[in-house]
Amino acid sequence: MPDDTRRTIPAEATMSAEDTNTRAWHIYGQRQLARSYTPPVPARLGSAGHPG
């Protein structure tokens, strides 16, 4: 009787961490665009949350 609890993933089906991260950010960005989300932009870059 074959052991069905152990499964192997074909090498072509695996993704590197970098590829997974890139894909996740792409999906996130597409969802934000679909919602017409615009992030807040500070009056001056680099000044948000930092005194003087």
Side-chain angles (χ1 to χ4, degrees), residues 7-17 19-20:
R7 298 173 192 255
T8 56
I9 300 172
E12 61 273 4
T14 61
M15 293 175 68
S16 71
D19 289 341
T20 300

Side-chain angles (χ1 to χ4, degrees), residues 12-36:
E12 61 273 4
T14 61
M15 293 175 68
S16 71
E18 291 82 8
D19 289 341
T20 300
N21 188 43
T22 299
R23 184 170 184 271
W25 277 109
H26 180 77
I27 291 168
Y28 173 80
Q30 291 299 324
R31 288 180 181 163
Q32 297 296 62
L33 289 172
R35 294 183 183 127
S36 298

